[in-house]
Amino acid sequence: MLTQQQRQLILSGAIQKVSVKDFGLRGRAEVYLLDSACVWLITRSSRFLGKDAETFVTILEAASTHEERPLTGCILIEKAPVCSKARRWLEDKDISLETLYS
């Protein structure tokens, strides 16, 4: 879980994003590396599906390898609805998922 301060830093853009290309992956995704956490901020409106969850697990593994230490995973979702199967699958992998509906 993220602290309220960490969440605010991410949402305000005060922390620099890291491209997944830096970890040797393909795509345009960007994550935030905080202390011992890898955080993916989802700002789109389309549904967050199992495919997205699997993508994050791949990103988390690559980031942990790149940082040479285990990282915890956290996904912040601003607007998108979340597939219940994806939510359960992430919980089974001990990855937190927070929705920030505003």
Side-chain angles (χ1 to χ4, degrees), residues 2 6-18 20 28-34 37-46 48 52 56 59 73-80 95-102:
L2 295 175
Q6 289 173 326
R7 194 175 296 107
Q8 288 300 332
L9 288 171
I10 290 170
L11 296 175
S12 68
I15 297 177
Q16 185 175 354
K17 299 176 192 176
V18 179
V20 297
R28 295 181 290 165
E30 296 176 317
V31 294
Y32 299 90
L33 298 178
L34 304 168
C38 177
V39 183
W40 192 17
L41 177 63
I42 304 291
T43 57
R44 67 175 193 254
S45 297
S46 60
F48 184 86
D52 300 309
F56 181 68
I59 292 169
C74 182
I75 301 172
L76 296 177
I77 299 180
E78 280 192 334
K79 306 174 203 169
I95 296 173
S96 66
L97 187 136
E98 299 178 33
T99 53
L100 308 171
Y101 300 121
S102 48

Side-chain angles (χ1 to χ4, degrees), residues 44 46-54 81-83 85-86 90:
R44 67 175 193 254
S46 60
R47 183 175 293 278
F48 184 86
L49 300 171
K51 178 182 173 184
D52 300 309
E54 291 171 4
V82 179
C83 171
K85 289 180 182 178
L90 287 169

